[in-house]
Amino acid sequence: MLVLILQTITEKGENFMKKTRVINSNISRVIAQMGHFDTIGIGDAGMPVPADTEKIDLAVEAGLPNFIQVLENVLSELEVQKVYLAEEIKIQNPAQLAAVKKAVGDTPIEFIPHEEMKKDLSDTKAFIRTGEETPYSNILLESGVVF
């Protein structure tokens, strides 16, 4: 029904544009389809993505876009109740860990082994690949509800 309404509006020549910060159509679609406890991943250019997981590739070149830019963009639209980070980020990339903590605020963080995170990508709705090239710059976001 909603598609029919939007199609009718478009056919009448009226403009229809999103007002939120997420304008990438694939990211927006995945977020809209998320249910409570579903996960979406965001990560660096080197994270291996399972063949059965949708990969939304934003990487343009080394560092572009960076991990935190994409994380903040997704957080502007997705209700997140918990995040998962690789245990290894604590030692291997403490600056990135500090930036993630700032971005997620009071959202609980659970640390898991990097190998487990790679396996968990098979259960995510999608993985967003950035141009980030620093170690363990990967996160899983668990969706919450807004009511």
Side-chain angles (χ1 to χ4, degrees):
M1 182 68 165
L2 179 60
V3 173
L4 180 60
I5 292 168
L6 294 177
Q7 183 179 12
T8 303
I9 291 171
T10 304
E11 288 171 357
K12 290 183 179 180
E14 297 179 32
N15 291 325
F16 183 79
M17 291 292 291
K18 289 179 53 94
K19 287 187 170 185
T20 60
R21 291 180 54 204
V22 179
I23 63 170
N24 180 285
S25 59
N26 290 319
I27 296 172
S28 186
R29 172 185 47 78
V30 170
I31 291 172
Q33 294 173 345
M34 299 273 292
H36 194 200
F37 293 104
D38 283 344
T39 58
I40 185 171
I42 303 170
D44 59 43
M47 185 68 151
V49 182
D52 59 338
T53 298
E54 178 180 358
K55 180 170 66 174
I56 302 171
D57 195 344
L58 302 181
V60 177
E61 64 180 50
L64 185 63
N66 73 45
F67 172 76
I68 292 297
Q69 289 172 320
V70 176
L71 174 61
E72 289 174 342
N73 181 260
V74 171
L75 290 173
S76 74
E77 189 159 321
L78 178 64
E79 181 68 29
V80 176
Q81 66 183 19
K82 187 177 191 178
V83 303
Y84 299 86
L85 295 171
E87 184 74 35
E88 294 86 345
I89 196 172
K90 293 176 183 177
I91 302 297
Q92 299 293 322
N93 201 346
Q96 191 74 287
L97 175 57
V100 169
K101 285 181 175 181
K102 182 178 178 186
V104 302
D106 294 334
T107 304
I109 298 173
E110 182 174 329
F111 293 93
I112 59 176
H114 185 63
E115 288 301 315
E116 182 179 330
M117 180 177 277
K118 290 193 289 188
K119 290 176 186 172
D120 290 347
L121 285 181
S122 292
D123 296 325
T124 63
K125 294 295 183 183
F127 180 80
I128 304 167
R129 179 176 179 255
T130 71
E132 187 70 44
E133 290 190 336
T134 63
Y136 303 104
S137 292
N138 302 289
I139 193 167
L140 298 177
L141 307 174
E142 182 179 278
S143 62
V145 293
V146 295
F147 57 87

